[in-house]
Amino acid sequence: MSTKDVNTMKIAPKIWRNGEFINWDEARVHVMTHAIHYGSSVFEGIRAYHTERGTAVFRLTEHIQRLLNSAKVYRMDTTYTREEICLAAVEIVRGGGMDECYLRPIIFRGLNEEKPAFGVNPFPNPIECYIAAWDWGKYLGEEALETGVDVCVSSWTRTPSNSLPAVAKAGANYMNSQLIKMEAILGGFSEGIALDDRGMVSEGSGENLFVVNNGKLITPPLGASILPGITRDSVIQIAKELGIEIQETTIQRAALYLADELFFTGTAAEITPIRSVDRITVGAGKRGEITKQLQDIYFDVIHGKRPAPNDAPWLTYVNDTEEKKTAGSSSGS
Ligand code: PPE
């Protein structure tokens, strides 16, 4: 099985669909699919990295657990267990010969072609489960990790969790993210930061956010309508190991301007420094010391060059049969 090349982007040739591996070109859906009309999907974004022991998937179990949690919130029961989905993800990476890649598992409400049911009521529609993978470069640009990005505070409010629960990574949430992202891009920024419905800092369109002040890390709490990011959690655990004080507390908009350092975290964005907000320079206007320190350790951990905090099993090595058999059962969240 070789990788597919679409406009120089490497794509895993197989997609896992409801328990079987199918070709990329076969993974199509009908236009009357419920998810297309009503946003009824939940998904994940996971990265696999090159290590000395071959490719390893970063925090696979935690991501698949979050996928299942998201599905549970929306009553999208799937017949596949966490372990089965983890094994399928490993197989997509291994079978596709992917050295590094981004994995996109997605569960959505499909269409029963024999007995179509239209309208908002989701219950009559079948639950579909897919995993695709492709080689995704740096999310906010090649240089972003070093030089930092210019961002704005969005005029759009993050959807409150009593409208769309932020703990669930649902496709529908990303309509809000798209408004934030488009406004940012059209304004000449790389990314937008949303405030929550009380006007406190929430998160980026696809990233969590950290402030560094006087050597201390501050990040919005889960109550600020944020996705409980797995990179956020990784950074918190790394910071704890380093003895850096961490506070999960509300952050005012102006505190972004006055921060010593500011950075985004996310699977796609990894740890990306922010050098300005609303054209106000943050700190020295470049990647700060603590951001760099956290980045260095994070990159070493994801590439298997040093153990995760508390020796946690954050890496699933795709060529390691032993590891493969236990994928998904090594740690929960
Ligand atoms: N908040 C949001 C809204 C979000 O989408 C992400 C991930 C995060 C926080 C960080 O979560 P985590 O990846 O578990 O650390 N955004 C994903 C989607 C990006 C995309 O464009 O698609 C990602 O980073 O994979």
Side-chain angles (χ1 to χ4, degrees):
M1 210 195 291
S2 68
T3 47
K4 188 180 172 71
D5 244 321
V6 177
N7 298 329
T8 73
M9 185 184 269
K10 257 191 178 173
I11 290 177
K14 295 285 180 188
I15 286 181
W16 185 79
R17 178 181 67 190
N18 302 331
E20 50 173 6
F21 294 93
I22 60 168
N23 291 328
W24 170 272
D25 295 329
E26 292 169 67
R28 299 181 187 278
V29 296
H30 196 280
V31 70
M32 292 312 289
T33 293
H34 194 269
I36 293 179
H37 295 253
Y38 305 113
S40 34
S41 69
V42 294
F43 69 96
E44 270 307 316
I46 310 169
R47 277 196 192 265
Y49 291 99
H50 177 88
T51 80
E52 269 191 355
R53 279 171 63 191
T55 306
V57 186
F58 184 63
R59 303 198 70 176
L60 176 61
T61 315
E62 292 89 332
H63 278 284
I64 300 304
Q65 185 59 53
R66 190 173 66 185
L67 176 74
L68 295 177
N69 292 352
S70 302
K72 186 172 185 180
V73 169
Y74 286 99
R75 304 173 199 271
M76 293 164 66
D77 297 329
T78 154
T79 47
Y80 305 103
T81 62
R82 186 177 75 181
E83 288 66 31
E84 285 167 332
I85 302 174
C86 285
L87 280 174
V90 164
E91 191 47 33
I92 288 287
V93 179
R94 201 198 55 75
M98 305 299 278
D99 182 38
E100 298 214 327
C101 66
Y102 183 88
L103 281 145
R104 172 54 55 83
I106 183 162
I107 299 175
F108 62 91
R109 302 254 184 204
L111 171 73
N112 182 342
E113 297 206 28
E114 260 94 71
K115 205 168 165 248
F118 307 120
V120 170
N121 176 14
F123 288 125
N125 301 290
I127 302 297
E128 309 279 357
C129 193
Y130 286 67
I131 308 173
W134 68 93
D135 182 3
W136 216 7
K138 299 302 173 197
Y139 190 59
L140 296 171
E142 276 301 325
E143 284 177 16
L145 294 176
E146 237 181 274
T147 57
V149 290
D150 300 308
V151 309
C152 61
V153 172
S154 183
S155 68
W156 294 100
T157 296
R158 194 94 196 124
T159 318
S161 287
N162 57 354
S163 292
L164 288 172
V167 289
K169 193 170 167 67
N173 299 3
Y174 288 84
M175 289 303 272
N176 181 245
S177 288
Q178 287 177 57
L179 291 171
I180 296 162
K181 188 77 178 182
M182 289 188 291
E183 182 184 53
I185 290 171
L186 293 174
F189 300 97
S190 302
E191 185 56 286
I193 296 170
L195 306 179
D196 69 11
D197 56 337
R198 300 157 305 165
M200 307 307 279
V201 173
S202 177
E203 61 179 350
S205 76
E207 310 87 0
N208 292 117
L209 182 109
F210 283 82
V211 169
V212 181
N213 259 343
N214 299 321
K216 201 164 72 183
L217 270 187
I218 309 163
T219 194
L222 297 187
S225 301
I226 64 161
L227 181 76
I230 289 165
T231 321
R232 176 184 181 274
D233 177 71
S234 306
V235 164
I236 290 174
Q237 293 198 43
I238 290 169
K240 278 189 184 149
E241 198 176 68
L242 289 172
I244 298 173
E245 195 185 326
I246 303 145
Q247 267 188 326
E248 291 181 57
T249 188
T250 49
I251 298 170
Q252 293 185 25
R253 175 178 184 160
L256 300 175
Y257 307 143
L258 303 177
D260 295 337
E261 301 177 28
L262 208 56
F263 60 86
F264 282 134
T265 63
T267 298
E270 298 170 317
I271 298 177
T272 301
I274 297 170
R275 65 180 176 194
S276 77
V277 180
D278 297 333
R279 309 262 178 243
I280 297 178
T281 303
V282 174
K286 54 179 193 185
R287 176 174 62 189
E289 292 278 301
I290 292 189
T291 308
K292 166 92 167 61
Q293 203 183 353
L294 292 167
Q295 261 186 349
D296 286 347
I297 296 180
Y298 182 76
F299 284 112
D300 277 356
V301 170
I302 62 184
H303 290 289
K305 292 182 182 160
R306 64 181 284 161
N310 304 314
D311 267 325
W314 283 0
L315 296 182
T316 301
Y317 292 90
V318 304
N319 292 322
D320 189 328
T321 16
E322 239 357 87
E323 203 72 43
K324 242 175 74 185
K325 271 189 226 136
T326 57
S329 53
S330 51
S331 70
S333 66

